[in-house]
Amino acid sequence: MTKHEILELPGCGCADAPEAKPLLSVQEALRQIRQATGRVSDTEELPVGETLGRVLGRDVQAQIMMPPFDNSAMDGYALRRCDSPEDGPFRLPVAQRIAAGQAGQTPLEPGTCTRIFTGAPIPAGADTVVMQEQVRLDAGFAIFERAPTEGQNIRRAGEDVALGDVIVPAGQVITTRELAAITGAGLAKVQVFRKLRIAVICTGSELARAGETLDPGQIYDVNGPMLKSAVAAIGADLVHQSNCPDNKQALAAATAAASEIADLVITTGGVSVGEEDHVHGAIALAGGDLKFAGVAIKPGKPLSFGRIGQAAFLGLPGNPVAAFVTWTLFAKPLCQRLSGAADGLCTARLVRADTPLRHKTGRCEYRPATIVGRDDRGREVVHLGPQVHSAQLAPLVGCDGLVRLPGDVRELPLGSMLEFLPFEG
């Protein structure tokens, strides 16, 4: 498997349940999202030090060899292998001293050695470095206990990277590791894709902003602040955020306007089939279209995906836990693809359950889980609480990620191996 291939996880079983036939499986929903989603193409040139978290828009090629010259891999003594006998000990006069950063040294005279330090250029004529721990000094002579191997402890020019080699490929998210490699390759500036532009519209006539006095029937808007922080965490620009009442015409106008300035329009709430759920109708009224509506998942069944104008559209459920779960499972991969990032390997891993679990079949279920240790074989062990209602936020606090319970399994015994998706990473 290459670095940028998608790791397809085994099917969760939710598509096989008879009552879930009209719904897409998680894997199929992700496949359709990838298939229908393009990538931003605009790039900008930035100093390397300002690119952390950005997506590389063009391959970075080495401007110099790495290392650029033969150098010592450690502190020691440089010599010609032919000046040593087949066995030791032997002694050579120390003719010169070379530290890292020094250049212009004279060639090594036959029958002598050079005191040399890590990273210093190898003097012409030398072909071997003996580490200082294997050498004794006596009145200007270096005494070697045994004969060295030719070429030992020398880093050859270009052995790490040749001139023109691709150091970091386009589509890579720049972390501190990539930043270091790019800098070492000799580049001061690189091309990165522009930041992804996201608009968030939270629907619901009952929503009030935190800190406001609640009128009868109102609740505080959790999804708005939650998604604002989630957008910031992935390095995208939140170009629009608003609340919209449960009115099809108002929502159609809001989503149409947002689609003109954003690459992705996200709504929360109103994606089910109730009389006050207007998102699907509003998208159609605004000239958009849906690719799918409904995934065999719990929580998050009403998840919807499509396009409106030039923007992708993702309709998340209104209950905060369902919105958070579907953001983690679907919105983050969608944002990764839109941003120009190469499709990476799935971060899910296997863990063991510390308790027996029961689950209603029909839809795969994602529950918050906490890593509580490792078993005697070094495998991570997680604890899952009881089934979480999609409006309950407290169970998310302190959790490390989500565990998937397959849709076709009713009971899981103690110690079952489960798929775990960490919140970070």
Side-chain angles (χ1 to χ4, degrees):
M1 178 175 289
T2 62
K3 184 176 182 181
H4 299 302
E5 287 179 328
I6 291 293
L7 175 62
E8 294 290 0
L9 295 167
C12 62
C14 54
D16 299 327
E19 63 271 21
K21 283 296 184 182
L23 302 176
L24 295 181
S25 69
V26 172
Q27 287 76 21
E28 177 60 19
L30 287 170
R31 188 194 70 80
Q32 291 195 23
I33 287 174
R34 289 196 300 269
Q35 187 178 51
T37 304
R39 304 177 189 269
V40 297
S41 58
D42 300 335
T43 62
E44 57 181 327
E45 188 175 66
L46 290 178
V48 174
E50 298 176 14
T51 62
L52 192 64
R54 301 294 293 273
V55 179
L56 193 62
R58 183 181 302 168
D59 289 347
V60 169
Q61 295 178 290
Q63 305 300 298
I64 59 171
M65 293 188 298
M66 296 172 62
F69 49 82
D70 292 352
N71 69 87
S72 179
M74 57 186 59
D75 294 352
Y77 293 84
L79 51 87
R80 302 191 317 162
R81 172 64 181 85
C82 63
D83 287 333
S84 67
E86 290 304 315
D87 53 12
F90 64 97
R91 54 195 286 157
L92 295 172
V94 181
Q96 60 180 331
R97 180 182 187 276
I98 307 177
Q102 291 182 336
Q105 299 297 317
T106 58
L108 181 67
E109 293 290 335
T112 69
C113 66
T114 295
R115 178 70 166 121
I116 197 165
F117 296 87
T118 304
I122 301 296
D127 58 18
T128 301
V129 173
V130 178
M131 66 174 64
Q132 62 185 14
E133 290 83 356
Q134 298 175 353
V135 181
R136 293 185 292 111
L137 293 179
D138 181 22
F141 283 82
I143 302 174
F144 302 87
E145 296 299 327
R146 58 181 179 270
T149 301
E150 182 176 340
Q152 69 180 38
N153 301 322
I154 293 178
R155 297 177 63 235
R156 297 297 182 185
E159 71 174 28
D160 292 342
V161 176
L163 181 66
D165 277 357
V166 174
I167 303 299
V168 185
Q172 182 70 39
V173 178
I174 300 174
T175 70
T176 52
R177 300 183 297 278
E178 285 76 24
L179 193 148
I182 292 170
T183 303
L187 282 83
K189 295 183 177 181
V190 292
Q191 292 286 330
V192 295
F193 288 111
R194 66 164 174 81
K195 287 188 175 185
L196 186 66
R197 300 164 184 160
I198 299 178
V200 173
I201 302 172
C202 298
T203 72
S205 300
E206 75 279 14
L207 298 180
R209 297 182 184 278
E212 295 179 349
T213 301
L214 292 177
D215 293 331
Q218 284 192 311
I219 60 172
Y220 288 122
D221 173 27
V222 173
N223 290 332
M226 179 177 71
L227 291 177
K228 180 179 180 180
S229 65
V231 168
I234 64 171
D237 279 339
L238 186 65
V239 295
H240 173 83
Q241 182 178 11
S242 64
N243 292 352
C244 186
D246 293 317
N247 178 281
K248 184 167 68 174
Q249 287 73 27
L251 184 56
T255 53
S259 70
E260 295 180 358
I261 59 173
D263 304 300
L264 171 62
V265 177
I266 296 177
T267 62
T268 66
V271 286
S272 192
V273 293
E275 292 184 5
E276 294 298 320
D277 294 314
H278 299 297
V279 169
H280 295 169
I283 295 301
L285 184 62
D289 67 282
L290 295 178
K291 302 296 182 184
F292 65 77
V295 178
I297 183 177
K298 183 178 183 179
K301 174 183 174 182
L303 179 83
S304 303
F305 168 74
R307 297 201 64 82
I308 177 170
Q310 297 301 307
F313 164 75
L314 195 65
L316 307 184
N319 282 324
V321 174
F324 179 78
V325 168
T326 48
W327 164 269
T328 303
L329 293 176
F330 299 98
K332 287 178 71 174
L334 171 57
C335 291
Q336 179 188 37
R337 186 166 182 82
L338 283 168
S339 69
D343 293 323
L345 299 180
C346 180
T347 58
R349 60 183 187 263
L350 293 179
V351 297
R352 286 190 63 210
D354 72 342
T355 183
L357 298 167
R358 292 184 60 85
H359 163 67
K360 181 180 178 181
T361 59
R363 288 181 280 161
C364 65
E365 181 181 350
Y366 284 82
R367 290 188 192 175
T370 304
I371 297 173
V372 294
R374 293 183 181 273
D375 64 11
D376 56 3
R377 295 175 59 183
R379 297 174 298 189
E380 289 179 305
V381 177
V382 297
H383 175 73
L384 285 73
Q387 181 176 329
V388 177
H389 188 275
S390 57
Q392 294 174 323
L393 292 168
L396 285 175
V397 178
C399 288
D400 300 304
L402 299 172
V403 161
R404 178 174 65 83
L405 305 183
D408 54 355
V409 176
R410 186 179 300 277
E411 294 186 357
L412 293 160
L414 170 70
S416 295
M417 299 303 294
L418 301 170
E419 182 186 302
F420 175 76
L421 183 68
F423 290 144
E424 304 298 331

